[in-house]
């Protein structure tokens, strides 16, 4: 076998980490096996389901399609890095309160995709939420509770009236 | 069977020059990997036939979008999210901006590069119809220097292209002279965002007093590799957009396209959809004529 292990350095959830891994090892497996960050899930392993979504240098990526070496020097954020000082992220709180998670396999990826959306667009419309989450499949919830959770999380920062209108829009889409 | 990471070497020299040196040293031995959204899928499925890979990801010399008076130069390493964020593309080359939004999910678009889309050369590649309609040029680079070829001559057969073994795609140049052209892009597939195109047609047309002066038609999934529909174009150029012209163009298209037969849909279905898309565009041209 030609490939040796390489030392790969990156920042994960704000902490500098180094692993010894074959350079083609999937970032997903490095996170789960080498760093024991098992919040990130594997669904399809083909880029289709989004269960493995994490943020890399500020962009949402599917970690099943990232070879470890391409994460060298990167800033990675996983679902474990969403909560701050033991307080749930507003999205996590909203998913909890509104049934946005059932079996939970899709949830970490869904949260990361939603966090990415809200960081760039604090007041997303329903079509914008749909597009942002189009790469994240859920077999359980039928999506509406997920969309509602995202709206509710955004609403935590939104002015009261605007949030009511969008919530109604989401409700009417049922 | 899942692919084994140990079975593949992967290096990341970090600069364009260093990658080119490596390709020149052992031409044909190294497979470039950019965003990996094609190659890593093959890897996961255990069908990646590439023992030695060299990473292009993160090389700044390949990831840019630069505008000059005549054209927009898009680095081969620019992602489709980069393309969507570019204001000149959005304003002047809307077909390309729209196609960029079709390349899978946001997580896919943040990794998928335009170079990877074109070199992978799927007959269904979503950026191809727009780039054919805009008469784009491809710039290739190697230690021997750079050269440019028309994009319409880049694909030379099913999954074959004009690149030499020591070359990389460097940039895609899209001319900015299409502002006065009528523009069209439509894809018919099962699921709009996530499905790989079933049939797509891109078109730009220049009309003078109702007569077609220029017509460029780019197709995906209608031929074994993305290509212009030259015979259909010829049936339209220097013609007024009449019912007869539309009929003749439909005939030309049906005679010209030959989709590869795969499970995605039947050949006949694709041919008919393609003819309908063409007709839709031509009827738009007629209507605009009637209104003006
Ligand atoms: C879930 C999912 C959905 C998708 N949906 C679509 C879709 O709707 N439409 C569509 O068109 N595609 C789609 N794709 C395919 C893929 O995302 C695109 O083709 C993408 O643009 C490939 O770029 P990449 O950088 O990821 O390619 P890579 O996998 O890195 O490389 C692909 C090929 O290009 C070569 N290459 C890359 N860059 C260069 C270069 N600069 N010079 C020379 N060779 C190079 C590589 O050697 C390889 O042969 C989808 C993929 C997935 C996983
Ligand atoms: S496991 Fe990565 S997208 Fe499905
Ligand atoms: S909660 Fe089960 S897949 Fe989404």
């Amino acid at each position: 076998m030609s490939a040796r292990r390489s030392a790969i350095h990156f920042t994960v959830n704000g902490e500098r980490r180094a692993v010894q891994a074959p350079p083609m090892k999937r970032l997903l497996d490095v996170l789960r096996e080498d760093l024991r960050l098992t919040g990130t899930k594997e669904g399809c392993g083909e880029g289709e389901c989004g269960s493995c979504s994490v943020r890399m240098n500020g962009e949402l990526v599917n970690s099943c399609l990232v070879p470890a070496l391409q994460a060298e020097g990167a800033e990675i954020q996983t679902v474990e890095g969403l909560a701050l000082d033991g307080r749930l992220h507003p999205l996590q709180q909203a998913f909890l309160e509104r049934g946005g998670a059932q079996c939970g396999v899709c949830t970490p990826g869904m949260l990361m995709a939603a966090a990415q959306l809200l960081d760039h667009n604090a007041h997303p419309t329903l079509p914008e939420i749909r597009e942002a989450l189009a790469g994240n499949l859920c077999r359980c919830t039928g999506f509406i509770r997920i969309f509602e959770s995202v709206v509710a999380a955004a609403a935590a920062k939104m002015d009261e009236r605007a949030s009511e209108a969008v919530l109604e829009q989401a409700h009417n889409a049922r | 069977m899942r692919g084994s990471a140990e079975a593949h070497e992967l290096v990341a020299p970090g600069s364009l020059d260093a990658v080119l040196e490596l390709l020149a040293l052992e031409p044909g031995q190294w497979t470039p990997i950019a965003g990996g959204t094609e190659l890593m899928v093959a890897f996961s499925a255990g069908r990646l036939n590439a023992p030695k890979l060299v990473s292009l990801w993160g090389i700044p010399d390949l990831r840019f979008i630069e505008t000059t008076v005549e054209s927009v130069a898009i680095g081969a390493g620019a992602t489709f999210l980069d393309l969507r964020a570019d204001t000149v593309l959005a304003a002047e080359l809307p077909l390309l901006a729209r196609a960029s939004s079709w390349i899978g999910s946001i997580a896919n678009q943040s990794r998928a590069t335009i170079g990877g889309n074109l070199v992978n050369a799927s007959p269904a590649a979503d950026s191809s119809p727009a780039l054919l309609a805009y008469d784009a040029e491809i710039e290739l680079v190697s230690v021997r220097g750079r050269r440019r070829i028309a994009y319409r001559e880049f694909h030379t057969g099913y999954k074959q292209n004009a690149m030499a073994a020591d070359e990389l795609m460097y940039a895609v140049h899209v001319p900015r002279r299409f502002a006065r052209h009528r523009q069209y892009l439509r894809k018919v597939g099962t699921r709009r965002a996530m499905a790989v195109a079933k049939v797509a047609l891109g078109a730009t047309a220049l009309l003078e007093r109702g007569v077609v002066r220029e017509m460029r038609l780019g197709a995906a999934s209608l031929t074994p590799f993305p290509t212009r529909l030259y015979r259909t174009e010829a049936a339209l150029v220097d013609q007024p957009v009449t019912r007869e012209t539309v009929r003749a163009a439909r005939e030309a298209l049906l005679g010209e396209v030959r989709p590869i037969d795969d499970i995605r849909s039947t050949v006949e279905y694709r041919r008919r959809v393609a003819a309908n898309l063409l007709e839709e565009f031509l009827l738009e041209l007629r209507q605009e004529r009637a209104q003006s």
Side-chain angles (χ1 to χ4, degrees):
Chain A
M1 295 283 105
S2 54
R4 297 130 298 170
R5 288 164 176 263
S6 303
I8 296 164
H9 310 80
F10 40 42
T11 305
V12 182
N13 299 328
E15 268 179 57
R16 286 159 175 270
R17 307 292 295 258
V19 297
Q20 293 282 329
M24 272 294 278
K25 188 165 181 173
R26 304 179 307 171
L27 177 60
L28 170 65
D29 299 326
V30 170
L31 292 171
R32 290 180 56 86
E33 294 166 8
D34 298 63
L35 300 180
R36 303 266 160 215
L37 292 170
T38 53
T40 305
K41 305 294 182 214
E42 172 162 14
C44 65
E46 301 182 346
E48 300 280 353
C49 76
S51 313
C52 65
S53 304
V54 302
R55 293 204 277 193
M56 182 162 93
N57 293 331
E59 294 192 293
L60 190 73
V61 303
N62 287 329
S63 62
C64 71
L65 298 186
V66 179
L69 187 64
Q70 289 190 340
E72 169 69 37
E75 297 258 354
I76 312 269
Q77 189 193 31
T78 68
V79 69
E80 288 91 347
L82 272 187
L84 205 63
D85 302 328
R87 271 192 51 227
L88 290 182
H89 187 280
L91 277 163
Q92 292 171 310
Q93 191 64 42
F95 270 63
L96 202 66
E97 285 168 4
R98 292 176 180 267
Q102 284 180 28
C103 83
V105 170
C106 72
T107 313
M110 207 63 87
L111 287 168
M112 297 312 290
Q116 182 71 4
L117 169 68
L118 294 187
D119 280 0
H120 289 86
N121 180 356
H123 309 274
T125 62
L126 193 56
E128 286 168 343
I129 297 173
R130 273 184 200 280
E131 195 208 351
L133 302 185
N136 296 77
L137 305 184
C138 176
R139 293 172 306 145
C140 304
T141 64
F143 291 99
I144 294 299
R145 286 173 191 282
I146 291 174
F147 298 153
E148 285 176 349
S149 304
V150 177
V151 171
K157 297 175 216 152
M158 256 203 246
D159 104 66
E160 197 81 32
R161 273 180 44 205
S163 68
E164 286 304 314
V166 182
L167 264 176
E168 197 176 293
Q169 192 188 357
H171 188 81
N172 292 341
R174 269 187 165 176
Chain B
M1 241 296 289
R2 161 158 301 176
S4 151
E6 280 82 7
H8 303 270
E9 194 174 335
L10 169 63
V11 298
S15 75
L16 180 57
D17 286 344
V19 173
L20 294 177
E21 295 279 334
L22 197 62
L23 298 186
L25 210 60
E26 297 178 283
Q29 298 298 298
W30 293 90
T31 304
I33 177 169
T37 61
E38 300 278 1
L39 294 180
M40 290 303 286
V41 174
F43 168 71
S44 282
R47 52 178 171 77
L48 176 60
N49 182 16
K52 293 164 95 170
L53 295 138
V54 55
S55 177
L56 308 182
W57 185 254
I59 294 180
D61 284 349
L62 288 173
R63 190 172 177 180
F64 60 87
I65 301 180
E66 280 164 15
T67 304
T68 62
V69 179
E70 289 95 43
S71 64
V72 181
I74 304 168
T79 67
F80 285 103
L81 269 193
D82 294 342
L83 269 72
R84 289 182 70 181
D86 189 85
T87 49
V88 176
L89 287 185
E92 293 182 29
L93 301 164
L95 306 186
L96 191 53
R98 180 150 18 120
S100 302
S101 74
W102 289 345
I103 317 282
S105 62
I106 299 294
N108 199 65
Q109 291 166 25
S110 68
R111 292 272 295 165
T113 64
I114 191 166
N117 197 237
L118 297 179
V119 175
N120 188 63
S122 155
D126 267 324
S127 62
S128 296
L131 292 175
L132 290 166
Y134 286 140
D135 211 14
E137 269 192 331
I138 301 292
E139 186 170 0
L140 302 172
V141 63
S142 70
V143 289
R144 295 171 289 126
R146 294 189 190 170
R147 65 181 176 118
R148 285 195 186 202
I149 55 168
Y151 174 54
R152 60 180 185 275
E153 282 157 15
F154 178 72
H155 302 291
T156 53
Y158 178 70
K159 297 255 169 191
Q160 290 183 331
N161 61 51
M163 272 193 316
D166 64 344
E167 281 181 315
L168 284 182
M169 186 182 287
Y170 176 65
V172 181
H173 298 270
V174 193
R176 294 178 72 185
R177 60 183 162 77
F178 287 93
R180 285 173 53 231
H181 288 60
R182 316 310 325 172
Q183 308 191 1
Y184 176 88
L185 179 67
R186 192 153 162 214
K187 144 166 138 171
V188 175
T190 40
R191 268 190 327 187
R192 187 144 163 274
M194 296 295 286
V196 168
K198 273 192 162 176
V199 176
L201 187 72
T204 54
L206 188 66
L207 271 72
E208 265 174 30
R209 280 177 242 101
V211 175
V212 176
R213 289 302 173 206
E214 288 182 29
M215 176 67 70
R216 291 187 182 78
L217 297 170
S221 302
L222 292 174
T223 43
F225 52 94
T227 146
R228 287 262 294 274
L229 301 178
Y230 293 108
R231 279 196 273 159
T232 312
E233 292 173 6
L236 288 159
V237 170
D238 291 335
Q239 303 297 323
V241 190
T242 59
R243 266 179 219 291
E244 292 68 51
T245 309
V246 173
R247 204 171 307 131
R250 268 190 82 108
E251 284 301 304
L253 181 141
L254 289 172
E256 183 168 25
V257 304
R258 39 194 176 87
I260 45 170
D261 196 0
D262 64 25
I263 47 163
R264 283 207 196 98
S265 71
T266 66
V267 169
E268 210 26 61
Y269 167 80
R270 286 194 201 198
R271 279 156 44 90
R272 241 181 309 126
V273 170
N276 291 345
L277 295 182
L278 177 67
E279 187 165 329
E280 178 179 72
F281 176 52
L282 296 177
L283 292 180
E284 278 176 17
L285 295 182
R286 266 170 68 98
Q287 264 159 22
E288 282 165 27
R289 171 75 186 149
Q291 279 159 13
S292 60

